[in-house]
Amino acid sequence: MDTAHKLPAIATVPYLSTDGRAAILDQLFEPCIPLQTLSISLLQEKTFASYDELIDSIGLQLTALANSSSTSDSTWLQSILAAHPRLGQSKVESSQSQSEQAQLNTGDDSSAQSLTKLNQLYENTFPGLRYVCRICEWSK
């Protein structure tokens, strides 16, 4: 896994401060208080052999929210998914997304307008979701 900033050794994660564990979540995903609230304790309570395993464990948490019949769980999941910026969005929080968006925002105004229309079409088709492209350098 290649990231913009060096992650601490996986074995140290359970011993990090709450802020340290939150920073890992922000780097692996997007800055998102609902995700931090969901997963911060997992990073302290469980040891992981790799960051891929950590990501898979958070994926299981998200899947549990998706499979839940609870309206509050659905709302919680939607707030996590909405943390990812839309394609072509100019204001983004994470350095990783800033880099990704910079690559998308090199065209003219018609390209930006096309991305806005495509984002809206996707979000109308799949309410509560954002279109996200997987980063080609990442295995997850």
Side-chain angles (χ1 to χ4, degrees), residues 105-133:
N105 293 327
T106 58
D108 57 14
D109 284 342
S110 66
S111 296
Q113 290 173 355
S114 293
L115 282 174
T116 299
K117 287 179 186 176
L118 290 170
N119 284 328
Q120 190 61 51
L121 176 63
Y122 186 88
E123 291 173 31
N124 289 342
T125 305
F126 305 102
L129 298 180
R130 299 261 170 95
Y131 184 76
V132 178
C133 295

Side-chain angles (χ1 to χ4, degrees), residues 5-6 15 22 48 64 90 97 107 111 118 123:
H5 299 92
K6 188 84 170 143
Y15 308 104
F48 301 97
S90 58
S97 287
S111 296
L118 290 170
E123 291 173 31

Side-chain angles (χ1 to χ4, degrees), residues 14-34:
Y15 308 104
L16 296 174
S17 67
T18 300
D19 288 343
R21 287 179 277 129
I24 289 171
L25 291 172
D26 289 353
Q27 189 173 348
L28 292 175
F29 300 96
E30 288 292 327
C32 177
I33 298 297

Side-chain angles (χ1 to χ4, degrees), residues 14-129:
Y15 308 104
L16 296 174
S17 67
T18 300
D19 288 343
R21 287 179 277 129
I24 289 171
L25 291 172
D26 289 353
Q27 189 173 348
L28 292 175
F29 300 96
E30 288 292 327
C32 177
I33 298 297
L35 179 63
Q36 290 175 6
T37 302
L38 175 70
S39 301
I40 207 108
S41 62
L42 175 70
L43 275 62
Q44 184 176 28
E45 296 164 0
K46 185 175 178 187
T47 57
F48 301 97
S50 67
Y51 276 100
D52 285 340
E53 185 181 314
L54 182 152
I55 291 167
D56 288 343
S57 292
I58 293 171
L60 292 174
Q61 289 183 309
L62 297 174
T63 300
L65 289 177
N67 292 334
S68 172
S69 60
S70 166
T71 303
S72 64
D73 285 351
S74 295
T75 301
W76 197 265
L77 179 61
Q78 287 180 2
S79 68
I80 293 170
L81 296 176
H84 197 282
R86 291 174 175 89
L87 294 179
Q89 187 172 328
S90 58
K91 184 180 180 197
V92 294
E93 292 189 41
S94 73
S95 59
Q96 183 174 319
S97 287
Q98 289 171 359
S99 173
E100 293 168 3
Q101 296 292 4
Q103 294 174 20
L104 288 173
N105 293 327
T106 58
D108 57 14
D109 284 342
S110 66
S111 296
Q113 290 173 355
S114 293
L115 282 174
T116 299
K117 287 179 186 176
L118 290 170
N119 284 328
Q120 190 61 51
L121 176 63
Y122 186 88
E123 291 173 31
N124 289 342
T125 305
F126 305 102
L129 298 180

